[in-house]
Amino acid sequence: MSDVRQHSSAGSGGVANRAVGGEQLRLRTIIDQVADGLVITGADGLIRFVNAAAESLFGRTADDLLGEDFGFPVVAGESTEIEVLRPRGAQVVAELRAVGIDWEGQNALLISLRDITERRLAEQQAHELAREQAARAAAEAAESRYRRLAEDMTKLAEENAVLYDRAEEASHAKSEFLAVVSHELRTPLNAIIGYTDLIESGISGPVSDTQRAQLKRVKASSAHLLEVVDDILTFSRLETGREEVNAEPVDYAVLIRDAVKLVQPLAEQKQLPVHVETPPEPCTGETDARRLRQILLNLLSNAVKFTDEGGVWLDCHEDGDEMVFRVRDSGIGIPHEYLDRIWDPFSQVEESHTRKIGGTGLGLSVVRRLARLMGGDATVESQLGHGSTFTVRLPRRVISSRVVRANSAYMRAR
Ligand code: ADP
């Protein structure tokens, strides 16, 4: 370039020189009109010529560039893209093409540089826009999926609530029905037991030994039926939250002896001794006598039911503010893995075996729930083949449900 410029600016020679100089000036003017940057490098890679477009592309003057190493790898016949860093930090992207030429009798490269910065920028922006649109579309799709899912879940929850309400209603209705039926059964059963007692006592006329033995069987069966009805009634009242504790003054020793009397006919049938150990009389306290009798009767009749040899023991003692009742037997025992489950309603250890013996599977669940309702608890220890011990701990002074309710209303009001 410097050569060209020198030639063009030193055009003051002879006519021929002037003609050559004029030619070069025209050529120079044309080359400077070209929009692409043009650079000629020698075989040594040093810049020999730059046009105006190349000057503006590099952001440097021809004087600055001439004689410098071009600095980019260039192969004749190939085109590449280069990134040019201008002096003030701006970056330009140019498409580079090179062809081999002869420059003043030497091998050289004519390099054309087209500024494609804006094209690249536009491409980049278009690419980013497409990416943004794709991301937005994906987000919108995810949102609508989520919205549909949320709608489905709400619908499902509503349907569930309706089903739950219906199930609750059905369960409530079932418990109500059981409560009514059990109540209706209880009244005539008590009459049967009462009149049997009356006949047995001989008040209504003499009773033979055979009749007395048969009356005992009537009483045992009626007592068993009453126990089953009582369990169903209590279970349904517990289920509907209507079971109440009605505490009254009692003598525990008397209460225990009464409970044993109820199970005696069944034990006699199996020729099983029932041993009772009561605390010294009077052993007073306050409890729901009917509920405690039901607890003891359930445990005692189970003990008799599941024992063929040995015996059944019932003892009661005080422990601080509590009364502890223990029902022990030398019966079949309970497998370890069943010790928790037997407290669930309708749960029996071995169906076929239990069916042979009979029972509803409600007794122990009623025992534990009643014990807890009265402020205590029921537990079991057992060894398979050796027998079981059921323990019930209750406050010596049980508090009535009505008092508990009044107290909590008072606490709420404070
Ligand atoms: P049911 O006696 O009517 O079957 P329970 O709730 O009273 O129902 O008892 C549940 C189960 O626990 C019984 O079926 C029996 O398998 C077991 N069980 C209860 N008491 C005893 C006991 N004293 N000895 C052995 N197994 C017992």
Side-chain angles (χ1 to χ4, degrees), residues 284-340:
T284 54
E286 272 175 35
T287 196
D288 187 322
R290 196 171 142 226
R291 293 292 162 242
L292 178 55
R293 218 175 284 125
Q294 189 176 0
I295 288 175
L296 295 175
L297 185 61
N298 269 328
L299 296 179
L300 284 168
S301 57
N302 272 351
V304 172
K305 207 161 68 172
F306 294 105
T307 306
D308 288 331
E309 276 172 16
V312 170
W313 291 261
L314 165 65
D315 72 74
C316 164
H317 63 269
E318 302 166 36
D319 183 16
D321 293 343
E322 288 183 327
M323 294 302 294
V324 183
F325 306 87
R326 263 190 325 183
V327 176
R328 188 162 64 84
D329 66 63
S330 55
I332 59 169
I334 300 161
H336 188 258
E337 64 272 23
Y338 279 88
L339 287 179
D340 279 339

Side-chain angles (χ1 to χ4, degrees), residues 121-344:
L121 208 66
E123 277 172 8
Q124 212 173 323
Q125 279 170 350
H127 185 70
E128 264 167 29
L129 198 72
R131 232 183 35 206
E132 241 172 59
Q133 277 170 347
R136 199 174 308 129
E140 277 169 10
E143 197 198 327
S144 90
R145 258 203 319 274
Y146 174 76
R147 208 178 309 120
R148 269 203 309 276
L149 206 71
E151 281 166 13
D152 286 353
M153 275 169 68
T154 314
K155 223 165 100 190
L156 215 66
E158 283 166 7
E159 283 169 10
N160 258 355
V162 171
L163 284 178
Y164 182 79
D165 282 352
R166 274 195 213 141
E168 278 270 279
E169 272 169 31
S171 168
H172 202 78
K174 178 202 74 187
S175 298
E176 288 279 338
F177 171 75
L178 285 177
V180 171
V181 169
S182 308
H183 188 76
E184 288 303 308
L185 287 172
R186 250 189 138 258
T187 321
L189 256 178
N190 275 325
I192 292 171
I193 294 170
Y195 281 109
T196 314
D197 269 341
L198 213 66
I199 299 170
E200 200 188 5
S201 70
I203 292 176
S204 340
V207 184
S208 72
D209 286 349
T210 321
Q211 284 170 333
R212 201 176 298 280
Q214 285 165 349
L215 285 174
K216 266 211 169 99
R217 282 179 178 271
V218 173
K219 259 175 68 176
S221 297
S222 311
H224 174 64
L225 196 55
L226 188 64
E227 186 194 329
V228 172
V229 169
D230 265 348
D231 280 349
I232 297 176
L233 181 65
T234 309
F235 176 74
S236 48
R237 288 174 70 93
L238 282 164
E239 283 283 285
T240 47
R242 288 196 331 216
E243 186 62 340
E244 299 246 304
V245 175
N246 296 306
E248 55 185 327
V250 289
D251 185 332
Y252 285 107
V254 176
L255 194 146
I256 281 169
R257 272 203 305 277
D258 282 354
V260 172
K261 268 190 213 152
L262 290 171
V263 86
Q264 209 77 48
L266 196 67
E268 277 169 20
Q269 267 179 28
K270 290 185 83 174
Q271 295 180 329
L272 262 186
V274 181
H275 309 275
V276 190
E277 210 178 294
T278 57
E281 285 180 46
C283 178
T284 54
E286 272 175 35
T287 196
D288 187 322
R290 196 171 142 226
R291 293 292 162 242
L292 178 55
R293 218 175 284 125
Q294 189 176 0
I295 288 175
L296 295 175
L297 185 61
N298 269 328
L299 296 179
L300 284 168
S301 57
N302 272 351
V304 172
K305 207 161 68 172
F306 294 105
T307 306
D308 288 331
E309 276 172 16
V312 170
W313 291 261
L314 165 65
D315 72 74
C316 164
H317 63 269
E318 302 166 36
D319 183 16
D321 293 343
E322 288 183 327
M323 294 302 294
V324 183
F325 306 87
R326 263 190 325 183
V327 176
R328 188 162 64 84
D329 66 63
S330 55
I332 59 169
I334 300 161
H336 188 258
E337 64 272 23
Y338 279 88
L339 287 179
D340 279 339
R341 253 183 284 165
I342 52 166
W343 302 101
D344 295 337

Side-chain angles (χ1 to χ4, degrees), residues 302 305-306 329 334 342 347-349 354 359-361 363-364 388 390:
N302 272 351
K305 207 161 68 172
F306 294 105
D329 66 63
I334 300 161
I342 52 166
S347 150
Q348 297 176 322
V349 170
T354 314
T360 58
L364 288 183
S388 315
F390 286 84

Side-chain angles (χ1 to χ4, degrees), residues 49-72:
F49 171 87
V50 287
N51 71 345
E55 282 178 300
S56 70
L57 191 117
F58 285 109
R60 294 163 69 185
T61 62
D63 289 343
D64 203 10
L65 289 165
L66 291 174
E68 247 191 36
D69 190 279
F70 181 59
F72 296 99

